[in-house]
Amino acid sequence: MSALNPSRDPSVAEREWLTLTDRKTVLVVVHTLAYGKRLVDILSLLEADFRIQVVFTAPPHVFGDEVPSFLQRLGGPVLPWNEAVRMSFDLALAAGPRGVEEITAPLLTLPHGAGYLKRWSTGSHKGVAGLRRQDLAPGGRLPAAVAVPHHAELSVLEQHCPEALPLTHVVGDPAYDRIAASLPLRAAYRKALGLADGQKLVVVVSTWGARSSFGRFEALLPRLMAELPAGRFRSAVLVHPNVWSGHGSWQVRAWLARCARLGVAVLAPEADWRPLLVAADHVIGDHGSVTLYSTLTKASIVLASSPEREINPFSPAAALALTAPALSPTHPLSDQLDYAAAEYRPAEYAVIAARITSEPGRFNRNMRRLMYRLLGLGQPAHEPETVPLPEPPALDAWTDVRREVPA
């Protein structure tokens, strides 16, 4: 984006032919598609402020294959990484640590999912992923601010990176707030998905990694097609974007092609999964963020995978692993879903959901205040709104993985 990359002085983000000059410039650092989707939610807090120009960059990352097309669809001005690190900005936002120590800007970091659910239990850098010193201070450089969703994270920080505590702000969780605001629209989402009256929606969810539920898909997906009567059930599969990037989009579509041809909806990695959770009757998941967000809804949860070694024992994912029933390879799948629904106790899951954020409904207020303070600007004189999620496309739009499908 040459308009923000003058060759004579890379620290000046303007040219005389720009229409609006002397703007505060915010750099959004998008390592992966999962990070980018989280950061875009936050950018709504800067909407309609003519004092601010937002630009994007994509550092090299092993799971960054989907990022260029994501940014192109977004329509944001994109700076090549090697140029972004030679410039200066008024604020930088990042949901991951890689390379951010090279950025010249006050840096605000935040988690890209539902808090900090995973841990490294082996190797030289043990601890809770996202809250270790190398996560918070890559290259030995602390950010200007660390945003966390829950006060419980502060005790972990005190143990792993106490020097980050004075910089840490408990702001809440944007996905939690959007899902909570959308719960009254469940009937509208189900209608948009094309679900018939009385039809049950089963959403199969996988995070990434060797111990995720994706490792069991080879056995699980045929059961979705063979054991769940088509008139009574519809199924959708949601796989973490890192699986798509790690194995290649073509390969994942190829692996899932048969179940898609038989009517199982396969969501593209860029799709918004949150309306499907609101609409779901059953979730078959693992220790990832999406399964945890399901505790906000009325969907019963069955765990296809919950590896103890990977789960932060103090996280709500650990509590969910002790509460939700585990998928059995021998009992009929429909019977297991019926059992999970019959055993579902709303109060138990509400306690787990409450551990996602200690600032429910207040993320936009808290995060906007923090960003504008770092920018050195006064906030706009209106309450930031938490907008319900848009209606999803029909499930039938996702049953052909050979072509592009709507996001």
Side-chain angles (χ1 to χ4, degrees), residues 331-353:
H331 288 77
L333 188 55
S334 60
D335 288 354
Q336 294 187 64
L337 297 179
D338 288 344
Y339 174 82
E343 291 296 309
Y344 178 83
R345 301 289 183 267
E348 292 180 340
Y349 287 91
V351 170
I352 297 171

Side-chain angles (χ1 to χ4, degrees), residues 4 12 52 71 81 93 122 182 200 253 268 280 282 287 323 329 368-369 373 398:
L4 294 176
V12 181
I52 296 172
L71 293 178
W81 176 248
L93 303 174
T122 59
S182 304
K200 303 296 184 180
R253 291 183 187 279
H282 306 282
H287 57 302
T323 303
R368 192 179 73 171
R369 180 190 302 117
R373 186 162 61 196
W398 302 105

Side-chain angles (χ1 to χ4, degrees), residues 131 133 153-163 165:
L131 294 177
R133 179 172 281 103
E153 268 77 61
L154 300 180
S155 60
V156 182
L157 265 178
E158 187 173 18
Q159 178 184 356
H160 291 296
C161 190
E163 60 267 40
L165 270 177

Side-chain angles (χ1 to χ4, degrees), residues 270-292:
E270 69 273 10
D272 193 340
W273 45 267
R274 296 169 296 184
L276 264 76
L277 284 194
V278 175
D281 297 283
H282 306 282
V283 171
I284 302 175
D286 54 19
H287 57 302
S289 293
V290 177
T291 306
L292 183 60

Side-chain angles (χ1 to χ4, degrees), residues 6-267:
S7 58
R8 65 179 183 272
D9 183 359
S11 69
V12 181
E14 60 194 36
R15 282 186 187 270
E16 58 243 4
W17 46 264
L18 282 177
T19 302
L20 298 180
T21 59
D22 299 320
R23 309 293 103 176
K24 294 278 190 176
T25 308
V26 176
L27 177 69
V28 183
V29 184
V30 183
H31 296 83
T32 71
L33 182 55
Y35 295 4
K37 291 168 73 173
R38 173 55 60 101
L39 291 167
V40 165
D41 254 358
I42 294 164
L43 294 179
S44 65
L45 300 174
L46 304 176
E47 283 180 356
D49 194 330
F50 280 74
R51 300 172 295 173
I52 296 172
Q53 166 75 58
V54 175
V55 298
F56 299 83
T57 192
H61 196 283
V62 66
F63 295 131
D65 290 354
E66 308 286 339
V67 171
S69 58
F70 170 76
L71 293 178
Q72 184 178 27
R73 288 190 301 270
L74 196 62
V78 180
L79 289 170
W81 176 248
N82 62 349
E83 295 182 6
V85 297
R86 297 200 306 267
M87 300 171 64
S88 61
F89 305 89
D90 298 293
L91 176 65
L93 303 174
R98 191 164 301 183
V100 295
E101 72 274 12
E102 300 180 53
I103 296 169
T104 304
L107 176 66
L108 170 56
T109 66
L110 64 153
H112 60 272
Y116 306 91
L117 308 183
K118 299 180 183 180
R119 62 170 171 168
W120 296 104
S121 56
T122 59
S124 58
H125 299 294
K126 297 179 182 179
V128 177
L131 294 177
R132 301 168 301 169
R133 179 172 281 103
Q134 62 266 38
D135 300 321
L136 295 168
R141 178 190 168 193
L142 286 166
V146 178
V148 299
H150 200 286
H151 286 96
E153 268 77 61
L154 300 180
S155 60
V156 182
L157 265 178
E158 187 173 18
Q159 178 184 356
H160 291 296
C161 190
E163 60 267 40
L165 270 177
L167 313 171
T168 302
H169 304 261
V170 180
V171 298
D173 184 295
Y176 179 106
D177 288 356
R178 293 290 301 278
I179 292 170
S182 304
L183 292 176
L185 299 178
R186 184 173 189 270
Y189 295 161
R190 291 177 63 84
K191 181 178 180 181
L193 290 167
L195 294 168
D197 290 342
Q199 203 167 38
K200 303 296 184 180
L201 175 60
V202 180
V203 180
V204 182
V205 173
S206 176
T207 186
W208 67 281
R211 295 179 178 87
S212 69
S213 61
F214 193 76
R216 302 188 64 179
F217 271 23
E218 189 173 4
L220 174 59
L221 295 182
R223 300 184 67 184
L224 287 179
M225 298 177 285
E227 298 183 31
L228 299 184
R232 182 184 168 198
F233 294 96
R234 287 296 305 270
S235 299
V237 172
L238 172 63
V239 179
H240 195 287
N242 286 1
V243 178
W244 293 83
S245 293
H247 291 281
S249 179
W250 178 89
Q251 182 62 77
V252 176
R253 291 183 187 279
W255 280 331
L256 302 179
R258 175 167 171 74
C259 64
R261 285 195 294 270
L262 294 177
V264 176
V266 178
L267 270 71

